[in-house]
Amino acid sequence: MNEEQLLKTDRDGLSSKDDEYYMGIALRLAKEAASEGEVPVGAVALWEDGRVVGVGKNRRESEKCALCHAEIEAIAEANRTLGGWRLHKCTLFVTLEPCPMCAGAITNARIKRLVIGARDPRAGAYGSVFNINDLPLNHKTELTCGVLEEECAGVLKDFFKDLRKIGK
């Protein structure tokens, strides 16, 4: 078998290797957030033609706003880039399983597919605490979990370990 045959391809044409590439971008954004004192979460919105149409990182502390989650930032930028609110041909890569607020935004934006790095056992809305796709809503988002999971979880663990050291 050649490399192409070994790659597992999802319904939207992205391979598992592509998923890791875009999750790597989200992971770099998460690391930027951590260096700025923010919880390290990053997100990348990818349109079906391969264009990155939105990126985001947590900015709740710097902006003093509970809405400044990485997913919300990436969705808002994608809306501006594309000139509309429907992101039905978009894949969203996020380093941490979205919270209920972000899951609602993902559903409302009609995002086709969500790729998650690490699970969030305290607030995850795609299976950890509850699954928004199980609710009788008008849109269901395709889900891929565990992409670069160890790296995504590691950034979060390191951030909170360092935070505990300085007593915050």
Side-chain angles (χ1 to χ4, degrees), residues 12 14 19 22 43-55 71 73-82 84-94 105-107 109-115 139-143:
D12 63 359
L14 288 177
D19 284 354
Y22 291 106
V44 174
L46 182 73
W47 195 244
E48 70 173 355
D49 62 7
R51 285 182 295 151
V52 172
V53 293
V55 297
E71 302 92 325
E73 303 260 320
I75 290 168
E77 185 175 16
N79 294 150
R80 289 188 300 273
T81 299
L82 297 167
W85 64 269
R86 287 180 186 86
L87 301 178
H88 61 290
K89 296 179 181 181
C90 195
T91 297
L92 184 67
F93 296 84
V94 64
I106 289 164
T107 299
R110 311 293 194 266
I111 289 182
K112 178 182 179 183
R113 181 170 170 252
L114 176 65
V115 181
H139 177 74
K140 307 291 183 208
T141 302
E142 295 171 25
L143 202 54

Side-chain angles (χ1 to χ4, degrees), residues 13-137:
L14 288 177
S15 70
S16 58
K17 191 173 182 179
D18 292 329
D19 284 354
E20 289 180 5
Y21 174 78
Y22 291 106
M23 187 61 74
I25 296 171
L27 195 51
R28 284 193 295 277
L29 290 162
K31 289 175 182 177
E32 282 179 25
S35 72
E36 297 165 2
E38 301 282 354
V39 173
V41 179
V44 174
L46 182 73
W47 195 244
E48 70 173 355
D49 62 7
R51 285 182 295 151
V52 172
V53 293
V55 297
K57 60 186 176 184
N58 272 4
R59 295 183 316 117
R60 290 187 312 170
E61 299 300 327
S62 61
E63 293 297 315
K64 309 289 188 246
C65 179
L67 303 177
C68 290
H69 287 207
E71 302 92 325
I72 301 295
E73 303 260 320
I75 290 168
E77 185 175 16
N79 294 150
R80 289 188 300 273
T81 299
L82 297 167
W85 64 269
R86 287 180 186 86
L87 301 178
H88 61 290
K89 296 179 181 181
C90 195
T91 297
L92 184 67
F93 296 84
V94 64
T95 57
L96 181 65
E97 180 180 1
C99 72
M101 174 183 72
C102 293
I106 289 164
T107 299
N108 283 323
R110 311 293 194 266
I111 289 182
K112 178 182 179 183
R113 181 170 170 252
L114 176 65
V115 181
I116 296 171
R119 289 293 194 166
D120 185 351
R122 292 191 175 110
Y126 283 93
S128 291
V129 175
F130 74 97
N131 190 339
I132 195 167
N133 281 335
D134 291 341
L135 299 176
L137 301 172

